[in-house]
Each structure stands twice: as C-alpha cells, then as structure tokens.
Amino acid sequence: DIAARTAASFETGSLAGLRLTITAGPTREPLDPVRYISNHSSGKMGFSLAQAAVSAGAHVTLISGPVNLATPDHVTRLDINSAQDMLQAAESDTAQCDIFIACAAVADYRPSAVAEHKIKKGKEEIMELHLIKNPDIVATIASKVNAPFTVGFAAETRDIVSYAQDKLVRKKLDLIIANDVSRTDIGFNSDDNAVTLVTADQVTELPMMRKRQLATSLIDHIAQLYKANR
Amino acid sequence: DIAARTAASFETGSLAGLRLTITAGPTREPLDPVRYISNHSSGKMGFSLAQAAVSAGAHVTLISGPVNLATPDHVTRLDINSAQDMLQAAESDTAQCDIFIACAAVADYRPSAVAEHKIKKGKEEIMELHLIKNPDIVATIASKVNAPFTVGFAAETRDIVSYAQDKLVRKKLDLIIANDVSRTDIGFNSDDNAVTLVTADQVTELPMMRKRQLATSLIDHIAQLYKANR
C-alpha cells in the first residue's frame, strides 16, 4: 500500500534521509487592509515537487503563499503571505536542510508603507505608489555559510538561458530551472510546463509534460546533482 | 423538486420577471504579463446574491472577476479580469436590466502602462508605480438615462454610515449596502457578514448572519425598495 511504499522510500528513494525545504505559490504584498500586489502563480509546480520529493524519500517542508491546493501527504506545510514572512520561514527551516528549492513567485517589490485603514479613493486621476525591493530569498539562503544545495527558478519571457546563467552566478545557486512564461500553453496556471535546467557547466532542455510528471523528473535531476556536488 | 420550485418562482417570486445584473469578486489590474494589483474579495457575497435573486424569480447575469466559486444554477455568468472589462460587460448588460447590484470589489486604480514583457528586477531599491483611476462602474451605470435601480456596496473601516450616505448622493445610487471590513469575523473571505442598508431616507442595520442567509434578506429588501420606487 501507499503508506508502506512511502515508508520504504524514506529508506531507499533517491532523496532517502534528506531534508528539503520548498517554497511555492505567489506572495501578496499589502497596500492597505484590503488591497495587495501579487502575481499569477498557482503553486502547482512547488506542490508537485513537494509530493515527488516525499515519494523519493525526503522529509519536506513546504512554505506556501496563498494558493488553492491541498497539502500533499507527509509534507509539513507553513502558510505565509508576504515575501518578508516567507524569508523568515525559509531562514528558519533551511538552517537544518540539505536542499532548498525556491519555487515561489516572490514579489520583487512591496509597497513601502502599509496603510492601517483602507485608502479612500480620492479625486486624483493619477496616483504614485512607492515600492521598495523585497529581500531576495533564494540569494539570501544561497549566500549563507554551509548553505544547502540551492535550486532557483527563472520565469522569463525572452533570452531564457542567458538570463538563467547570469542569475545562477549572481545569486550563487547550484541549479536554475528556467521556463518561458510568454508561452500561454505552459507555466503559470497551466497543468503543463517545459523547462531548461541550467548549472555552472551544463544546459539541459526537458520537453513539455504534465507538472506532476515534470516534478518527478526534476527531483531525479536534483538528487543526481546534489550527490555529484557533495 | 428544485426545478419546479425555480420555475414557479419565475412567476411568483418577489423579483418575478425582473432582470438583474450583479457584479462580483475582485478585479485584477495587470502590471506586466505576470504581476497584478488586486484585493481580498472572495466573490461569495455576489454569488450568494445571484442565487437568492434566481430563487426570487429574477433573470440574473453575474459579471465576475477571478474567483474560485461555482456558478449558481440558472445564472448567466460572464468572467472578466480588469475593471475596464467589467465596465464594458456591465454597460452592455444593464442596457436591458431592471436592477443593477454592484457587489464587485473593483480596483480603484490600475497601472498606467502594462509592460509587454515581465519587468526585470533592477538594482534600484525603490520603484515608483504610476497608477491611473479606473472607471467608476456603479456611478457610470447609475448616471445613465433610464438607469436601473442601482445598488452599491461600501467596504469601510470606519465611519460606515456617513461614508455610505455621502457615496449614495455623490454616485446617484438608490441603495448602499455598507459593511465594516476592519472586523476580522465578517466580510472579505469570511462566510459571515453584517451590513447596514442606507437609502436617501433610512438607515437599517442587519445583524451578523451567514452570507447565504444575508443574501436572501438583502434580495427581499431590494425587491421592496425597487417596487416602492417605481
């Protein structure tokens, strides 16, 4: 049965005995008690990765922004809203982890001030919203002493590989999983995805497949790269 | 059975033979292909009103922003994302309707330009986002020649009644349904709500109840006020 197979994979799977921290979904950055800035991430990729990692024998913590998805079996889930809250949870959880997969679509910027009351619509035809940069969660974790094997994602609309290679070096990551969000058939809010794996010395294209199947393939690649690195 | 009762209510319900247009949910205002500004509206109130209106015999069109809700039986649903798209749908549908209920939490402002490609995170620690005012959907419909009986909502965090009375006059509405979104037990994303009905000559408080039950009560009040007005 499933419980027995899961129990067995904790001993024999490709990630047997390893601790993974995975972030998933969007973040929401509040402007006031009712409004926020967010993005179209469904969280499906991160949740599928968490499920595949458990099947490969890992102990998984999933740090998730607001999504409409059920928690996979045997996964420890922490729900957060903002990028700042996600960073705090990630720093705490990765202190003990072997592999960190930053799959969440974290808002790059947040409103510099959060209004205590709902902002009243004024007579002004225009409004300037002041934003400040959010912490870079994946780079923060990757730059730590004794950092886990760190995997980042790159959602791009053009020049996929060159942007990914630049990001890999700049953020000190071990692997970038890059995808093309300008394609409407894959990625955000779709059940399918096609990605390119970029490490310091190789570029590997994976064909379009279901996110669940892709998750299993990615976990296999991550396990191999992790073992080759350590 | 339900079908027979629904068929009967089209002839005998408090809204028998009337056409209602209801807006529901949030709007999403894109910054680029992946990011947007939105708000915490779940759409539950608008969907419950649509269902209650059908039960009262009305022909209902529900214009909905992005929500995770099933369409009530016998309701015609139009899905939109932005405030501009919601206005266009509302103008078209209210040309023939008797009662317009603007329940959606429409974004007051939208980014003045939508980037074609995902905006790259720069080195800048701050960013200015230029916003322009969205069309005021409920005021636009209410100000038309032969406007339908128009019902607006006011989500406030303080001075509920005075803000609602001001809004009623300024936007030429027939009824405002006001609620206090600073209360965490009701309103946005909750199954419960408590509201205050404000017309030109009366203020009526309704106690906290399930949104579904509240919807039935509101539809009864709206039907009475509509008949008293025409």
Side-chain angles (χ1 to χ4, degrees):
Chain A
D1 68 338
I2 290 171
R5 274 191 280 126
T6 302
S9 67
F10 276 122
E11 291 166 21
T12 63
S14 62
L15 295 176
L18 297 178
R19 290 172 193 244
L20 263 73
T21 305
I22 301 174
T23 66
T27 65
R28 285 185 182 172
E29 309 298 328
L31 276 74
D32 68 18
V34 298
R35 299 181 179 90
Y36 59 82
I37 298 178
S38 192
N39 63 65
H40 291 291
S41 173
S42 66
K44 282 177 189 165
M45 191 70 243
F47 276 61
S48 293
L49 284 170
Q51 187 153 36
V54 163
S55 295
H59 298 272
V60 178
T61 301
L62 182 59
I63 302 170
S64 179
V67 297
N68 288 292
L69 296 172
T71 310
D73 284 350
H74 305 289
V75 167
T76 303
R77 175 170 169 176
L78 301 172
D79 283 330
I80 56 80
N81 278 298
S82 71
Q84 289 171 296
D85 290 345
M86 183 173 275
L87 175 63
Q88 194 169 33
E91 287 196 300
S92 170
D93 202 70
T94 56
Q96 301 291 331
C97 91
D98 302 295
I99 299 173
F100 176 53
I101 307 178
C103 191
V106 181
D108 293 340
Y109 292 87
R110 68 177 183 275
S112 58
V114 180
E116 190 189 347
H117 293 290
K118 183 187 170 199
I119 302 163
K120 301 297 297 178
K121 186 176 184 171
K123 288 184 177 168
E124 299 73 23
E125 285 301 314
I126 62 168
M127 195 173 105
E128 303 296 313
L129 193 57
H130 305 284
L131 306 176
I132 57 173
K133 201 182 249 186
N134 262 329
D136 187 328
I137 296 172
V138 72
T140 303
I141 302 302
S143 68
K144 288 191 187 292
V145 178
N146 298 322
F149 183 87
T150 301
V151 182
F153 278 72
E156 305 294 346
T157 56
R158 53 184 168 170
D159 303 336
I160 313 297
V161 172
S162 62
Y163 275 127
Q165 286 170 327
D166 172 65
K167 194 169 180 175
L168 187 85
V169 174
R170 188 163 35 84
K171 300 193 178 185
K172 303 186 202 299
L173 308 185
D174 297 295
L175 169 65
I176 293 252
I177 299 165
N179 73 335
D180 182 350
V181 292
S182 72
R183 289 176 59 176
T184 54
D185 55 334
I186 58 169
F188 280 109
N189 280 328
S190 164
D191 286 325
D192 294 317
N193 211 345
V195 302
T196 305
L197 306 189
V198 179
T199 65
D201 50 21
Q202 66 191 41
V203 174
T204 310
E205 304 259 1
L206 300 188
M208 180 161 98
M209 54 182 107
R210 299 265 106 178
K211 279 185 182 172
R212 230 165 228 246
Q213 190 189 347
L214 178 62
T216 303
S217 174
L218 287 175
I219 288 298
D220 285 346
H221 279 90
I222 289 167
Q224 284 172 31
L225 289 166
Y226 171 78
K227 285 169 186 171
N229 259 256
R230 303 282 151 135
Chain B
D1 67 338
I2 290 170
R5 272 193 282 129
T6 303
S9 67
F10 278 121
E11 290 166 23
T12 62
S14 62
L15 295 176
L18 297 179
R19 291 172 193 241
L20 262 73
T21 305
I22 301 174
T23 67
T27 65
R28 284 184 181 172
E29 308 299 327
L31 276 73
D32 68 19
V34 298
R35 300 181 179 89
Y36 58 83
I37 297 177
S38 191
N39 64 64
H40 291 291
S41 172
S42 67
K44 282 177 189 163
M45 192 71 242
F47 277 60
S48 293
L49 284 170
Q51 187 153 35
V54 163
S55 296
H59 297 271
V60 178
T61 300
L62 181 59
I63 302 170
S64 179
V67 296
N68 288 291
L69 296 171
T71 311
D73 285 349
H74 305 290
V75 166
T76 303
R77 174 170 172 177
L78 301 173
D79 284 329
I80 55 82
N81 278 297
S82 71
Q84 289 171 294
D85 290 346
M86 183 174 274
L87 174 62
Q88 193 169 33
E91 288 196 299
S92 170
D93 202 71
T94 55
Q96 300 292 329
C97 90
D98 302 295
I99 299 174
F100 176 53
I101 306 178
C103 192
V106 180
D108 292 341
Y109 291 87
R110 68 177 181 275
S112 57
V114 180
E116 189 188 346
H117 293 289
K118 184 188 171 201
I119 300 163
K120 302 296 297 178
K121 186 177 184 171
K123 288 185 179 170
E124 298 74 23
E125 285 302 312
I126 61 167
M127 194 173 105
E128 303 297 313
L129 193 58
H130 305 284
L131 306 176
I132 57 173
K133 200 180 249 185
N134 262 328
D136 187 327
I137 296 173
V138 73
T140 304
I141 303 302
S143 68
K144 288 190 187 293
V145 179
N146 297 322
F149 182 86
T150 300
V151 182
F153 277 72
E156 305 293 347
T157 57
R158 50 183 170 174
D159 303 336
I160 315 296
V161 172
S162 62
Y163 275 126
Q165 286 170 327
D166 172 65
K167 194 169 178 176
L168 187 85
V169 174
R170 189 163 33 86
K171 300 192 177 187
K172 303 185 200 298
L173 307 185
D174 297 295
L175 168 65
I176 292 251
I177 299 165
N179 72 335
D180 182 349
V181 292
S182 72
R183 289 177 60 175
T184 55
D185 56 331
I186 57 169
F188 278 110
N189 280 328
S190 164
D191 286 326
D192 293 318
N193 211 345
V195 301
T196 304
L197 306 190
V198 178
T199 65
D201 49 23
Q202 65 192 43
V203 174
T204 310
E205 304 259 0
L206 300 188
M208 180 161 97
M209 55 181 106
R210 301 264 106 178
K211 279 185 182 173
R212 230 166 229 247
Q213 191 189 348
L214 179 61
T216 303
S217 174
L218 287 175
I219 288 296
D220 285 347
H221 279 90
I222 290 167
Q224 284 172 30
L225 289 166
Y226 170 79
K227 285 168 185 169
N229 259 259
R230 305 279 149 137

